[in-house]
Amino acid sequence: MPSTFSYNTNPTNKDSIGLAISSGIFTAGAFFIIILAIYILLEDWILTLTNTIQVTVSNSTSQRRSKLTNYEQCTLKTVECLLPAFSTLFVAGSIKEFSTNESDYVMDSSIAKGDTIIKFSMICFLCSVSLYMLFVTYFAVKYSNKPIHKQLKVLVLYIVGALLLIELVYGTFMIFSPPTDKIYKYSWVFYLFESLPEVLIVVILGGVILGEWFFEDEDLELVDSIKTISIGLNNFFFKMSDTAYSYPSTPPPQETPAPPPTPATPLSSSTIEKFTFTERQGDLFTDASPTDALAHCVSQDLRMGKGIADIFKKKYGGLNELKAQQCKVGQVAYLRRDNRYIFYLITKYYVYDKPNPKDFETSLVELRKLCEKLGVRGLSVPRIGTGLDGLSLSFVKNAINDAFEGSNIRVTMFYL
Ligand SMILES: Nc1ncnc2c1ncn2[C@@H]1O[C@H](COP(=O)(O)OP(=O)(O)OC[C@H]2O[C@H](OP(=O)(O)O)[C@H](O)[C@@H]2O)[C@@H](O)[C@H]1O
């Protein structure tokens, strides 16, 4: 971003007038681009927060909707749409201040007007970035399950905003200070220092937008699926709360399309299956009946970093579908893959936690309810909770018996 020109010294020759005006235009343009970029980044980040997306799962499709209030969205959009106006004002002020060749009196009042316009637009830029910092805090607190100090992305957003604020505060000081002010003695410090925030902002934003290291793949997919309109004026009409994204609940084309779940047909008394619970040595993924549903335990953050959860993640993917279901501890998320249901019992908050036995039991009861709702008759599980989660096998077996007693579901527990 070109260095901020000291707008109180009015150049006299044509070249320096041209330089002053072009510096004003570059400065205004650079501020507009960088501030719009951090707002776009903010908006995309908001969509990846845990509680900003609502999913409604109907029989054939799942819909994702943003849960932001209209007020929140209008505020975000208004700031974004005002940015071009601030830049236009800055350029108009530069031109007004430096391109008059009227009589002294007319020139003085035109310079004063141009100067006022530039000062006003600088204040507007300053307010938009200050608002950005408030937005980051507000959305991080309101729409995320994690404490704000544990959200690395919030730190990145703050750093970007802070660098821009330094830039704008310095520029505002320069614009408001009279030419005799001692700040001009240190302007070389600012010019030197000023390039640092610019370089850092470009590196961070560049890395974030180009390198996309800011968002994980599934976040990008989630944002794209909700944000059906790209950057630009049409962004103005982008209504996150009205945009429902429907994605088929059947698996992507490369997988066998999942037929609708077979409704639980009433079985004749002779064929009603009773609840059975058997243990079998074998590999869950190769030895379980292909028509059995599978179930395992995960944390609410769906990291699935190790153990059998990692195998499930690699084998069935669907992280985005699972995230979109917004399940909490004690609930069960699920996918439909290879004509079977894959259940994810949310037994703890974070990957580094250990499940609370009560939550474990609750998730098993939820699993049973879901099996009955979806007409699942056969369910195969590993020794859930007994490995990384450290629960005792006897507790887990008792919990399964208690949860499924009285059902007509056949439960098989595989062990290696
Ligand atoms: N192919 C296979 N067939 C049959 N049995 C198999 C098998 N592969 C492994 N087993 C056995 O199945 C038991 C449980 O296997 P695990 O220890 O992984 O699961 P768990 O339920 O205790 O723990 C879940 C948390 O682990 C992760 O958390 P992280 O993100 O990694 O930190 C998740 O996210 C959860 O939150 C162990 O006896 C394994 O020997």
Side-chain angles (χ1 to χ4, degrees), residues 296-300 302-304 309 344-348 389:
H296 69 117
C297 302
V298 295
S299 42
Q300 184 174 311
L302 294 172
R303 278 285 170 265
M304 296 193 267
Y344 296 71
L345 283 71
I346 315 286
T347 55
K348 59 187 186 185
D389 274 352

Side-chain angles (χ1 to χ4, degrees), residues 304 313 316-325 335 337 344:
M304 296 193 267
K313 182 166 85 169
Y316 300 113
L319 198 52
N320 210 29
E321 286 177 70
L322 294 169
K323 268 189 173 181
Q325 292 173 41
L335 299 174
R337 293 288 187 271
Y344 296 71

Side-chain angles (χ1 to χ4, degrees), residues 17 45 120 197 199-200 207 212 284 301 316 356 401:
I17 289 176
W45 163 72
F120 175 70
V199 169
L200 280 173
E212 292 172 351
L284 178 78
D301 60 12
Y316 300 113
N356 166 319
N401 274 302

Side-chain angles (χ1 to χ4, degrees), residues 282-285 296-299 301-311 347-348 350-353 360 381-391 414-416:
D283 185 317
L284 178 78
F285 298 107
H296 69 117
C297 302
V298 295
S299 42
D301 60 12
L302 294 172
R303 278 285 170 265
M304 296 193 267
K306 296 190 292 293
I308 199 165
D310 186 40
I311 304 173
T347 55
K348 59 187 186 185
Y350 297 114
V351 70
Y352 43 77
D353 293 340
F360 186 81
V381 295
R383 283 180 166 173
I384 49 175
T386 63
L388 293 162
D389 274 352
L391 297 172
F414 283 83
Y415 60 94
L416 294 173

Side-chain angles (χ1 to χ4, degrees), residues 390-401:
L391 297 172
S392 75
L393 181 57
S394 57
F395 164 77
V396 167
K397 284 159 75 171
N398 289 334
I400 292 175
N401 274 302

